[in-house]
Amino acid sequence: MISPNDGAQVRVGVRIRPLTPKESSEGGKAVVDGNAFDRTVTISNRKFTYDQIFHPNVTNPDLYRSVSPPLLNAFLNGYNATVLAYGQTSSGKTFTMGSEAHEENLSDGLQMNNLSDNVGLIPRFMFDIFSALEERKAESEDMILSVKATDSLIDFSVTASFLEVYGEDIYDLVDGSRQSLKLREDSNGEVFVMGLSKTPILTGNEAMDVLNTGTMNRTTASTLMNRTSSRSHAVFTVYLQQTTRGCEGVDITAKSRFTFVDLAGSERIKKTGAEGERAKEGIKINEGLLALGNVINALADDDRLARGEKVHVPYRQSKLTRLLQDALGGNSQTLFLACVSPSDTNASETLSTLQYANRARNIRNAPTRNVDTTALELQRLRALANVLKCELIKHRFGGHSLPLSTDPELERNEDSSSDEIGFVDDSLLLREDVASYMHLIDEKVAVVGGISTASIPSQDKIRKLSQDPPQSMPSTPLRGDLEREPPHGESDANNVTPGDVDGDSFDHDPEAGVEIIDQLLEIRRQDQQFCKDEKEGQEQLTNMQGEIDAQEERLIQLRENLRSYNDMKEKYDRLLSVVQSLESEKQALMEQLEKVQNDPTKGCSITIKKQLEDVKANLARARSETRKQQQLYRQAEQEAQKCKVLERKIQEMKAAKVVLIRKQKEEKAKHKEFTNTKTQEIRVL
């Protein structure tokens, strides 16, 4: 099983596609050299090292066989996995991912063994996922029939979703309603899309139906570089929920997701020839990829991280980066697949892609297994109770059911077997005195824990188990039914009575061992209370985060309204200057007119009057415009004040959230310390 530390570093692969006919016709030459042996790519005398290199002659099946094992195993074992395709437009991302609609994907009855080389990663992963799950289910059924002490897969369910990020809007490609969806954050800090449909799938072909339906609704358009250029970022996600049952009888539910991200390609408008709507789409695509680059740069800043400095990661800069929060620096095992063109006509874009990929290689994720911690703790406590029962039996009744051998070598072997913690000889469990003692323990547990006595194994069941005693006496873990009556007709060696054993084994009151059970029950009560408090705290955090998100959306809207605030102020100042200038001009004309009226030789009064009327009209218009602008300016000032108040409120809410999180961490640490202390006390007992 993959541990959380396995694959913590983002793995980066580079796929170099062949030259296209268009590039060849334009005189393009291959200038990108990949060396799969030392895992380097060279371009323009610059060399980059990656985890995997794929030459132009590498087919999709070869690529899949190379990258799939660690990701598939992680996903099936309860970890999140992500495959992210990045590169310029027309570099082969969609072909590599297999998120394009073609006739083969639309045909029924596809199987893993009849997929052509044109089929990309997503369909291949889908068929292998269901094949592996069915195989595990069959193996689990065989284990149950053979009564093997191991985890077994009881049930599983798989769902799929498909969305696109078009500009800064998120659309459900399966629904097809083109209604913009919102991002939210749950109590665990995971980002999810509200209202996103999840389709249940039972086979690989059903997964392909979801993929093809979404692909048909995806936004594409023709450019000079690509006839079917993706104008949005596509995210296809598969969710797996599986229930396994351990040898202790506890059901553990694990939830994992496999995310496939087909990013829209970066593009230069001069090369793509995009105009109008296509040009706007290209600008939005580049803005999203720029935000992604900022996240990569922040996460890959090893120098600052090594110095212990806090690095702000701008996940909230765009919706794309928020969706990829787990894939880059979060809870996921991630493959970053950079697709590049080998042509010298695209050398600058290829170099930029390789630089991005090289920085992404420095990102370290923190993948964790997504399981129910309460069920895991219950499984641990049950295992602990089993071990303690074994140790209690060996302590009170001795670790040997047969007399010790006189052979020193055999005696050493017996001692090593009986001293193994958590194991006891099967023959010891068949003794009547042991069964009687354990029955007293179970009755005490039933009384203290409020458990019905009907849950205690019946004597009929005990007799049935004891009718087929083991032929040999291997050391096996204690399994639940401890009260066994000795089978009739057994030899005296196995049919031991209290008088046949040293008195030291029975000098103690049977109730003395109940103290251990009391300690376990106290741990259980504390666990239940802790889980209750933790759930309430998580609900409170969820409500706080929802309120913070709502206020932040309102703040964003206010800031949008205030974008013209500075321009408005400048315009108001200009209008004031114009009014003052017209006032001065009016005053000068009035003084000049008065002089002319007193002395006609100094000018024409008619001309001056006309000029004065024009100035008055302009002044009236300027004053009216100034009053309007002043009113708008005052409204803008009020909005700015609201914005400041809202910012302060959001900061206070975030501070309260931090306090609550810190309190939860302290409570968790106290609970852990309490559990460890009680465990130590039990060990002493």
Side-chain angles (χ1 to χ4, degrees), residues 262-297:
D262 179 12
L263 296 173
S266 60
E267 57 184 48
R268 293 188 177 182
I269 296 178
K270 183 178 180 181
K271 282 191 174 184
T272 59
E275 296 178 352
E277 193 65 28
R278 299 289 84 80
K280 292 180 181 178
E281 290 172 347
I283 293 172
K284 286 292 184 182
I285 290 171
N286 290 337
E287 286 178 354
L289 295 176
L290 177 62
L292 178 62
N294 292 336
V295 168
I296 292 174
N297 289 336

Side-chain angles (χ1 to χ4, degrees), residues 32 66 164 213 259 283 286 290 345 364 390 405 422 483 486 516 546 641 667 670 678:
V32 180
S66 178
E164 72 171 357
T213 300
T259 306
I283 293 172
N286 290 337
L290 177 62
T345 58
R364 297 194 66 83
C390 289
S405 171
E483 313 98 353
I516 295 176
Q641 188 63 30
E667 292 295 331
K670 289 180 181 178
K678 287 296 178 183

Side-chain angles (χ1 to χ4, degrees), residues 61 90 135 162 183 221 337 364 386 481 500 523 529 564:
S90 76
E135 184 178 342
F162 200 4
L183 286 175
L337 202 54
R364 297 194 66 83
N386 254 359
D481 294 322
D500 298 324
I523 292 177
Q529 185 62 39
S564 58

Side-chain angles (χ1 to χ4, degrees), residues 1-48:
M1 183 175 292
I2 298 175
S3 67
N5 292 327
D6 292 339
Q9 187 174 16
V10 171
R11 294 186 302 114
V12 178
V14 175
R15 188 179 197 187
I16 307 169
R17 67 160 171 79
L19 284 170
T20 63
K22 184 175 183 296
E23 289 170 340
S24 299
S25 64
E26 293 175 351
K29 297 180 181 179
V31 294
V32 180
D33 179 36
N35 189 327
F37 180 74
D38 61 3
R39 298 172 298 152
T40 59
V41 175
T42 305
I43 179 174
S44 303
N45 296 324
R46 297 192 63 178
K47 183 180 287 188
F48 301 93

Side-chain angles (χ1 to χ4, degrees), residues 116-136:
S116 74
D117 290 355
N118 291 329
V119 177
L121 295 178
I122 298 178
R124 298 179 187 277
F125 270 111
M126 292 303 100
F127 286 110
D128 266 2
I129 285 171
F130 282 99
S131 175
L133 287 172
E134 293 297 341
E135 184 178 342
R136 289 189 177 194

Side-chain angles (χ1 to χ4, degrees), residues 192-219:
F192 67 97
V193 181
M194 283 189 64
L196 180 65
S197 62
K198 295 181 181 179
T199 307
I201 51 178
L202 301 175
T203 64
N205 282 306
E206 290 186 6
M208 294 305 300
D209 291 339
V210 176
L211 179 66
N212 291 324
T213 300
T215 301
M216 294 299 183
N217 294 324
R218 188 179 179 187
T219 306

Side-chain angles (χ1 to χ4, degrees), residues 394-575:
K394 288 193 293 184
H395 175 71
R396 294 189 63 83
F397 301 99
H400 304 278
S401 59
L402 297 175
L404 292 178
S405 171
T406 56
D407 185 357
E409 184 65 27
L410 183 58
E411 186 175 346
R412 281 194 298 271
N413 292 337
E414 288 177 348
D415 287 341
S416 63
S417 175
S418 62
D419 289 342
E420 187 174 355
I421 296 177
F423 284 79
V424 66
D425 291 337
D426 283 348
S427 59
L428 189 61
L429 303 179
L430 297 175
R431 285 168 35 176
E432 185 177 359
D433 52 345
V434 175
S436 176
Y437 175 73
M438 294 312 300
H439 188 68
L440 287 174
I441 295 293
D442 287 333
E443 285 182 345
K444 180 65 176 178
V445 172
V447 172
V448 177
I451 304 170
S452 171
T453 54
S455 62
I456 300 175
S458 65
Q459 292 297 325
D460 291 338
K461 184 177 179 182
I462 296 169
R463 290 193 190 93
K464 185 176 179 181
L465 290 172
S466 61
Q467 284 172 1
D468 186 19
Q471 300 301 319
S472 59
M473 293 180 292
S475 293
T476 56
L478 186 63
R479 295 193 183 103
D481 294 322
L482 291 173
E483 313 98 353
R484 302 186 183 180
E485 293 183 0
H488 300 293
E490 284 289 336
S491 64
D492 292 339
N494 286 338
N495 194 10
V496 183
T497 64
D500 298 324
V501 186
D502 291 339
D504 291 342
S505 298
F506 302 94
D507 287 344
H508 307 287
D509 182 3
E511 294 291 329
V514 173
E515 186 176 353
I516 295 176
I517 305 300
D518 291 338
Q519 296 282 15
L520 288 172
L521 291 173
E522 185 177 357
I523 292 177
R524 180 185 174 188
R525 285 192 292 270
Q526 288 291 338
D527 280 341
Q528 290 174 342
Q529 185 62 39
F530 174 74
C531 291
K532 181 182 177 182
D533 295 341
E534 188 179 36
K535 184 178 179 181
E536 292 176 355
Q538 291 296 341
E539 289 177 355
Q540 189 176 354
L541 273 178
T542 302
N543 295 334
M544 291 179 69
Q545 187 59 48
E547 181 66 20
I548 290 173
D549 290 341
Q551 296 297 341
E552 284 184 338
E553 284 191 6
R554 185 183 171 197
L555 180 61
I556 291 172
Q557 187 176 1
L558 285 174
R559 285 173 175 171
E560 288 288 337
N561 296 336
L562 289 175
R563 280 187 174 181
S564 58
Y565 176 78
N566 292 330
D567 294 339
M568 198 180 299
K569 187 176 186 304
E570 291 177 2
K571 186 175 181 180
Y572 177 67
D573 292 339
R574 286 198 303 269
L575 285 172

